[in-house]
Amino acid sequence: MNVREPEITSVTDLTDKELTLRWKSIDWKRVKEAVNNLQSRIASAAKNGNWKTVNKLSRLLTRSFYAKLLSVRKVTTNKGSRTPGIDGVIWSSSADKMRAALQLTNKGYRAKPLTRKYIRKKSGKLRPLSIPTMFDRAMQTLHSLVLGAIESAAGDKTSFGFKPYRSTKDAYAYLHLCLSKKVSPEWIVEGDIKACFDEISHNWILDNIPLDKRILKEFLKAGYIENYYLFPTEKGTPQGGPISPIIGNMSLNGLENALAMRFYSRSDGTIDKSHQNRHKVNYVRFADDLVVTTDSPETALEIVDVIQAFLDPRGLKLSEEKTLVTNISEGFNFLGWNFRKYKGKLLPKPSKDSQKEIIKKIRDVLHKAKAWDQDRLIQTLNPIIRGWAQYHNHAVSSAIFNKLDEIVYNMLISWAKRRHSNKGFTWITTKYWHKSGKRKYVFCTELQTLERFSNAKIVRQRLASLNKNPFIDKEYFEQWKFMEYHRKKRITNPNSVLN
């Protein structure tokens, strides 16, 4: 499809009113189609190993005005759109967005230092986030349109993080396929890479990531500001930038092939997993979380050596304390689920850490809600409960959902008693819990009803073909998404018209 792009007018020639009108008149469907078309061509060329064509199309995409428009739109509509960088600038008006798109160019580009912030991890430790300016975010997004297409074609098929139409649930589904049979492997390598994003070698990135080296160096070497001091960045790809997850993915791509060459390749070097995989080696990764299955602890130790040898040129190391070799009968945690076999049957459940996290989150809300009315409390809790239940509704979660409902009920009783310390249990339950449908005790008002974890229907996750590419086979994934949506809708809502 050949799409002719509009002529780019100099920013100085346009008033704010004219810029606003131009932004509001953009045909976003046409913009996305034009960008997707170029990404599809890049992915096809990368898949065929035609790197000259990849480079040519990459330059075409990063110079495309449609790609610039889409990049600006992405950074101004995501969750961090109201968070400024070191210059304090945010693009809130249509004129700002149009002006930014017109100014976006590789010529003379210099990245500004990043703003360093910290967020608390589940372990209690602090994770550094480095926030680029809006302009730098748009530049990174523009180049990530290229890298995303290349990574999808040349990357590991069983890597599920930061890819279109892939999610943690797909990683779960693949791992379930690998472990659920009686003859499935029983030993697991839980790989933990030390500070993966912070330690990747800049030299390796510059030598191996197919991006304009000057622009890539600007992204990597921008430095960061903390407590009014400028610190250099000598390694790593800063967490907080749009391009960092893709660079991180590309840095770990190839591990699947390294394991394949060691454990299921023929004598002539060809890979034949179907017939040569006698050690039952299967690999799955989401971002920097990875798991490898195998048939014995001895092979597991060999796998650890292969992984470390792969990581060494990238400046990365496995954590000796956190990289574990586990039997499936003992169970292991991955992406919030505990995979374990009970009497030979695989029953993946929400992990205990994940359960503790949601209980703490609800407890924190109730602590803040001492003076809230019931409607406000329900309005705040519902998306938390619904979101957690939907994340886990494909696992063996029914018993845990019921247990959490009981815990939340007791927490709400305590919340109500604090509000009415001079009232008895019957008075409190009569005020806050009412009959609704077949249930006698429902925490609700005339306007709202509190969600229950057990309201979530269990819907098993199915895995789309690993041989399909989201940029080349977009029609396949759109059809898959449509079919899965209606399959799940029939299960969760049996009385729907489409059933």
Side-chain angles (χ1 to χ4, degrees):
M1 181 182 72
N2 295 317
V3 178
R4 185 176 179 180
E5 297 192 2
E7 294 183 6
I8 299 177
T9 310
S10 172
V11 178
T12 56
D13 296 339
L14 299 170
T15 64
D16 278 6
K17 186 176 181 180
E18 290 171 325
L19 289 167
T20 299
L21 288 173
R22 285 193 64 174
W23 181 264
K24 290 184 176 180
S25 65
I26 294 170
D27 183 349
W28 289 110
K29 184 179 179 182
R30 186 179 183 186
V31 167
K32 288 178 182 178
E33 285 177 353
V35 172
N36 289 341
N37 177 51
L38 275 174
Q39 286 181 303
S40 175
R41 292 167 64 189
I42 290 170
S44 295
K47 186 178 180 180
N48 296 325
N50 191 346
W51 294 104
K52 284 186 178 181
T53 303
V54 169
N55 292 334
K56 181 181 177 182
L57 292 170
S58 297
R59 287 194 299 272
L60 193 61
L61 182 56
T62 54
R63 293 171 184 174
S64 161
F65 185 54
Y66 281 151
K68 294 174 183 179
L69 287 172
L70 190 60
S71 300
V72 171
R73 191 188 193 204
K74 281 176 179 284
V75 300
T76 54
T77 54
N78 63 21
K79 290 181 180 179
S81 61
R82 306 299 298 176
T83 305
I86 194 66
D87 58 2
V89 173
I90 58 171
W91 298 333
S92 54
S93 70
S94 298
D96 290 337
K97 297 169 188 176
M98 194 68 209
R99 185 180 293 109
L102 290 166
Q103 291 175 338
L104 218 57
T105 179
N106 289 350
K107 291 181 181 178
Y109 171 69
R110 294 296 301 273
K112 289 185 172 66
L114 309 161
T115 302
R116 176 59 62 94
K117 294 186 178 182
Y118 292 89
I119 58 171
R120 194 166 297 279
K121 298 197 288 187
K122 295 176 186 178
S123 62
K125 295 181 180 179
L126 294 176
R127 171 182 290 163
L129 280 184
S130 299
I131 312 299
T133 64
M134 294 291 284
F135 191 88
D136 291 333
R137 268 178 265 175
M139 281 293 290
Q140 288 191 27
T141 302
L142 178 62
H143 287 274
S144 71
L145 295 175
V146 171
L147 282 190
I150 296 172
E151 195 277 333
S152 72
D156 294 345
K157 290 181 180 179
T158 54
S159 165
F160 297 95
F162 310 114
K163 292 185 176 182
Y165 304 103
R166 299 294 189 191
S167 68
T168 53
K169 290 193 176 188
D170 293 304
Y172 168 99
Y174 180 73
L175 201 51
H176 192 280
L177 287 172
C178 296
L179 296 171
S180 58
K181 298 176 183 177
K182 287 184 179 180
V183 295
S184 294
E186 296 190 352
W187 290 91
I188 312 295
V189 176
E190 302 174 64
D192 185 277
I193 303 171
K194 279 186 180 178
C196 179
F197 285 91
D198 299 327
E199 296 292 331
I200 304 172
S201 163
H202 279 186
N203 288 336
W204 189 92
I205 293 173
L206 290 167
D207 289 342
N208 292 276
I209 300 300
L211 192 66
D212 184 302
K213 302 307 174 190
R214 188 185 69 80
I215 300 297
L216 184 55
K217 202 168 185 179
E218 286 294 323
F219 294 156
L220 296 174
K221 302 289 187 182
Y224 64 91
I225 301 287
E226 186 175 7
N227 296 327
Y228 303 103
Y229 286 94
L230 174 63
F231 295 88
T233 44
E234 301 297 339
K235 57 184 178 179
T237 173
Q239 296 185 66
I243 207 167
S244 294
I246 301 176
I247 292 177
N249 248 356
M250 296 182 84
S251 299
L252 296 178
N253 281 338
L255 181 51
E256 183 178 24
N257 189 63
L259 290 166
M261 293 299 293
R262 172 64 184 82
F263 292 105
Y264 42 88
S265 63
R266 294 180 178 275
S267 56
D268 61 359
T270 57
I271 293 170
D272 184 3
K273 189 175 181 180
S274 300
H275 300 95
Q276 299 295 317
N277 192 14
R278 61 190 180 91
H279 291 295
K280 302 178 182 179
V281 174
N282 299 289
Y283 162 76
V284 59
R285 176 169 65 83
F286 190 94
D288 58 343
D289 291 322
L290 62 95
V291 165
V292 187
T293 70
T294 187
D295 63 341
S296 69
E298 292 77 21
T299 308
L301 294 177
E302 287 186 53
I303 288 169
V304 171
D305 291 338
V306 171
I307 295 173
Q308 188 54 65
F310 174 84
L311 295 177
D312 282 338
R314 294 155 174 80
L316 300 172
K317 291 188 178 298
L318 287 172
S319 168
E320 292 182 8
E321 302 80 25
K322 296 181 180 179
T323 297
L324 306 173
V325 176
T326 311
N327 190 277
I328 191 64
S329 62
E330 299 172 7
F332 66 95
N333 293 339
F334 184 60
L335 302 177
W337 300 291
N338 178 261
F339 291 80
R340 184 178 175 184
K341 276 191 174 179
Y342 298 82
K343 296 181 180 179
K345 186 172 183 179
L346 182 68
L347 298 176
K349 303 176 182 179
S351 68
K352 289 183 179 179
D353 287 343
S354 186
Q355 293 174 52
K356 288 176 183 176
E357 186 183 348
I358 190 63
I359 291 168
K360 182 182 182 302
K361 196 169 187 178
I362 292 172
R363 185 180 289 117
D364 290 344
V365 170
L366 291 172
H367 183 74
K368 292 178 186 176
K370 291 177 181 178
W372 292 2
D373 61 30
Q374 191 177 5
D375 275 313
R376 184 180 176 188
L377 178 60
I378 292 173
Q379 188 176 5
T380 304
L381 287 178
N382 272 352
I384 296 172
I385 294 171
R386 192 184 302 119
W388 195 89
Q390 286 177 354
Y391 184 83
H392 294 284
N393 71 343
H394 60 286
V396 183
S397 306
S398 294
I400 290 170
F401 285 169
N402 288 326
K403 183 185 79 171
L404 289 174
D405 283 338
E406 185 68 23
I407 291 171
V408 171
Y409 170 78
N410 291 327
M411 291 165 72
L412 289 170
I413 289 289
S414 299
W415 171 81
K417 282 182 176 180
R418 282 198 304 268
R419 289 172 63 87
H420 308 283
S421 56
N422 60 337
K423 300 292 185 181
F425 178 80
T426 302
W427 186 93
I428 286 172
T429 53
T430 302
K431 177 173 175 60
Y432 291 104
W433 278 264
H434 310 285
K435 185 176 180 180
S436 178
K438 294 181 180 180
R439 290 177 53 218
K440 287 185 178 181
Y441 297 101
V442 178
F443 191 79
C444 64
T445 66
E446 292 181 358
L447 299 175
Q448 297 188 84
T449 300
L450 183 70
E451 288 279 354
R452 290 167 59 89
F453 289 96
S454 56
N455 286 346
K457 299 285 186 182
I458 302 300
V459 183
R460 302 301 177 212
Q461 179 73 10
R462 297 199 304 185
L463 183 65
S465 172
L466 296 177
N467 295 317
K468 298 291 185 180
N469 183 286
F471 294 98
I472 301 170
D473 307 297
K474 192 175 179 67
E475 187 176 336
Y476 165 83
F477 281 99
E478 287 294 335
Q479 186 177 5
W480 176 268
K481 184 178 176 181
F482 177 83
M483 291 172 65
E484 282 297 284
Y485 170 79
H486 288 296
R487 180 181 72 87
K488 292 176 180 179
K489 189 173 182 180
R490 285 195 297 271
I491 295 170
T492 56
N493 185 14
N495 298 320
S496 64
V497 176
L498 288 169
N499 188 26

